[in-house]
Amino acid sequence: MAQLNMPTPPWLPIARAEAGVRTLAPGMSHPRVGLYHRCTTTPWYDDKASWCSSFANWVFAQVGIAGTGQALARSWLAWGEPLSEPRPGCIAVLWRESPESWKGHVGFYLQTVDDRVYLYGGNQLDSVCENSYPVECVLGYRWPNEAVKA
C-alpha cells in the first residue's frame, strides 16, 4: 500500500526514542516498563505483564493526549476516531489467538507491505521495536480526536 507523504505525528519520535527497552530476566523488571504501566489503571504491573497498551498510553501522555488509561490492548478500539485506511502513526489494534478472544496487541502503524502490517510498539519481541504482523489480524485503526486531548 502506498503511503501519502504525511507529516510525522509528534508522538512517533517519542515512541522511537524508547527503542531497546525490553523485558528483563525473571526476578527483575525494567523500570521504564513500570513507568509505562503507571499511565494505566494497573500501575503495579511489572514487565512480565503485557505492556503494549501501557506503552501506547505513556507515549500519548508525553504529547498531552489522553490514551485509554487501560492496559488492555482492545481498549483502543473505543478510543479516538476510527480510520477506514491507516496513516503513519495511527493506532493499530490486532487480535491475538482469535478475533473473538479478549486478547490483543496495539502499536503505532508504520506501513503495510504485501500481507504484513508493520508496527512500532512496546512488548513486541519483548521490547520496544518495529515488528510485522499479518494484516488479517488488524481489528481497526484509530486516530486521536479533540475529545482525547488531555
Side-chain angles (χ1 to χ4, degrees):
M1 162 187 272
Q3 295 298 318
L4 299 173
N5 191 9
M6 303 177 101
T8 301
W11 55 86
L12 208 47
I14 291 167
R16 287 188 178 280
E18 296 294 297
V21 172
R22 62 181 323 102
T23 303
L24 299 180
M28 300 167 38
S29 183
H30 200 296
R32 291 299 283 182
V33 175
L35 184 65
Y36 307 153
H37 283 308
R38 286 197 284 283
C39 289
T40 72
T41 57
T42 53
W44 58 87
Y45 279 8
D46 65 11
D47 70 7
K48 306 313 178 266
S50 294
W51 49 278
C52 61
S53 181
S54 298
F55 177 73
N57 275 287
W58 180 86
V59 168
F60 278 121
Q62 305 315 296
V63 294
I65 296 174
T68 66
Q70 303 295 313
L72 191 63
R74 289 189 183 214
S75 67
W76 293 90
L77 287 171
W79 174 89
E81 301 277 340
L83 297 175
S84 57
E85 292 291 322
R87 57 194 273 198
C90 76
I91 286 288
V93 184
L94 285 64
W95 57 266
R96 275 192 308 126
E97 293 184 7
S98 81
E100 294 78 31
S101 170
W102 62 270
K103 296 178 180 178
H105 181 67
V106 66
F108 298 101
Y109 175 84
L110 298 174
Q111 65 178 335
T112 302
V113 177
D114 299 324
D115 62 347
R116 306 290 292 180
V117 62
Y118 288 78
L119 306 181
Y120 197 85
N123 203 29
Q124 298 188 153
L125 306 173
D126 288 326
S127 67
V128 174
C129 68
E130 181 178 328
N131 197 21
S132 73
Y133 302 87
V135 75
E136 71 249 13
C137 292
V138 176
L139 293 170
Y141 300 104
R142 309 294 291 196
W143 191 261
N145 62 25
E146 289 304 312
V148 297
K149 297 283 166 89

